[in-house]
Amino acid sequence: MDHEVDEVAQVLLQKMGDSSEFIQKAANESLGIMVANVTPARAMTALMASGVQHPNALVRKCAARHLLTVLEQIGAKKLLSGKHVVTDLLVGTLVKLAQDSHPDTR
């Protein structure tokens, strides 16, 4: 499933923003299953690409929650000892989330 993560994350996050509460709950649970069953690096890049930049606060909140799960799986030491390009992107993303106007996203 790793090669389809970007598309799956994009569709599920879109459903978070434009659907009923029932579908939002199912999409959130599906994202959790996706995060648990793909490599953490792929899940991290998919969530950063699709969710963090989304205009809908609910989508950003959901992406941030699942991104936190992935970051906890990887661990701080491994995250910060990686390639500088990935580290810079991650730090930029975390700063953007920390400055988000929606308190649940922060």
Side-chain angles (χ1 to χ4, degrees):
M1 181 176 174
D2 271 11
H3 60 285
E4 299 169 350
V5 170
D6 292 328
E7 295 170 17
V8 171
Q10 184 178 10
V11 169
L12 290 173
L13 287 168
Q14 186 64 35
K15 289 296 176 189
M16 286 296 299
D18 63 2
S19 300
S20 66
E21 188 175 327
F22 170 75
I23 294 176
Q24 289 173 353
K25 182 179 177 189
N28 188 35
E29 290 174 4
S30 298
L31 278 167
I33 292 168
M34 180 198 77
V35 165
N37 290 295
V38 298
T39 58
R42 290 292 294 149
M44 182 177 74
T45 57
L47 290 168
M48 288 192 306
S50 300
V52 176
Q53 304 295 332
H54 201 278
N56 189 316
L58 184 60
V59 173
R60 292 192 309 273
K61 172 185 165 186
C62 179
R65 181 176 292 132
H66 291 293
L67 185 59
L68 176 63
T69 302
V70 171
L71 297 178
E72 288 173 344
Q73 287 176 350
I74 296 173
K77 185 176 181 180
K78 188 172 181 180
L79 283 169
L80 297 175
S81 66
K83 296 179 183 177
H84 289 291
V85 174
V86 176
T87 305
D88 290 345
L89 179 62
L90 177 62
V91 170
T93 301
L94 295 176
V95 167
K96 182 171 177 58
L97 288 171
Q99 294 174 341
D100 196 275
S101 61
H102 196 268
D104 289 336
T105 302
R106 287 182 256 150

